[in-house]
C-alpha cells in the first residue's frame, strides 16, 4: 500500500511538495511513479524513478517538478515548482516491481494510492 499527502490549493507560480509513504516498496527492486488525472481526462504519468533513482519526466513538467526519495527509500516525493493552472489534478503515487524496465503506462502499475488533490488558480 502507498499513501499520498501534501496536496492543496495554490496560486499560479507557487510550489507544493507531495509525499508518498511507500515503505513496502523501499527496496531496489521497485519502480515508483507519480501520475495525475484532471477532470474529464485520462490519468497520465508525471514522473517516475527507477530502482537506481534515475528520474524521468513528462515534457510538460520538466524543469519544474522533481521526483525523489528519502535516504531510506521509505518516502517518495514530488516537488512541484512554478505551478500552472493546467497542473490542477488529482495526483497518484504508484509502485511496481522492476522486471528490467519501469512501466510508462498506468496499466503497468499494480499498486496505487488514493490520490491527493492539487488545485492551481490563476
Amino acid at each position: 500500500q502507498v499513501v499520498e499527502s501534501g496536496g492543496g490549493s495554490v496560486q499560479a507560480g507557487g510550489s507544493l511538495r507531495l509525499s508518498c509513504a511507500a515503505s513496502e516498496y523501499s527496496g531496489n527492486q521497485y519502480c515508483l511513479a507519480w501520475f495525475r488525472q484532471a477532470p474529464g481526462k485520462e490519468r497520465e504519468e508525471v514522473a517516475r524513478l527507477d530502482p537506481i533513482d534515475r528520474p524521468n519526466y513528462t515534457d510538460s513538467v520538466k524543469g519544474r517538478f522533481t521526483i525523489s526519495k528519502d535516504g531510506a527509500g521509505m518516502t517518495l516525493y514530488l516537488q512541484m515548482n512554478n505551478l500552472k493552472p493546467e497542473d490542477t489534478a488529482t495526483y497518484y503515487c504508484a509502485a511496481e516491481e522492476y522486471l528490467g524496465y519501469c512501466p510508462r503506462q498506468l496499466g503497468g502499475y499494480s499498486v496505487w494510492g488514493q490520490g491527493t488533490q492539487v488545485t492551481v488558480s490563476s
Side-chain angles (χ1 to χ4, degrees):
Q1 183 180 6
V2 293
V3 180
E4 305 95 337
S5 61
S9 297
V10 297
Q11 291 190 328
S15 298
L16 283 174
R17 189 177 78 160
L18 305 183
S19 300
C20 172
S23 60
E24 297 180 40
Y25 310 97
S26 60
N28 61 0
Q29 65 267 45
Y30 291 99
C31 303
L32 297 171
W34 287 98
F35 283 75
R36 67 185 178 187
Q37 187 167 18
K41 294 188 176 181
E42 294 185 352
R43 194 172 298 188
E44 63 171 355
E45 183 186 68
V46 176
R48 65 179 181 270
L49 205 61
D50 75 5
I52 57 172
D53 292 351
R54 291 178 300 186
N56 192 283
Y57 301 93
T58 192
D59 287 345
S60 62
V61 308
K62 285 180 180 177
R64 300 189 298 122
F65 291 12
T66 302
I67 188 171
S68 64
K69 291 188 299 188
D70 65 5
M74 307 285 280
T75 305
L76 179 72
Y77 300 103
L78 185 68
Q79 177 67 43
M80 306 185 294
N81 298 327
N82 190 21
L83 282 160
K84 303 177 180 181
E86 51 264 43
D87 295 318
T88 295
T90 301
Y91 284 71
Y92 298 89
C93 176
E96 183 56 46
E97 183 179 5
Y98 180 76
L99 297 176
Y101 66 95
C102 284
R104 299 182 180 183
Q105 305 296 328
L106 66 91
Y109 288 87
S110 59
V111 178
W112 292 88
Q114 82 289 349
T116 186
Q117 178 67 36
V118 171
T119 303
V120 185
S121 59
S122 59

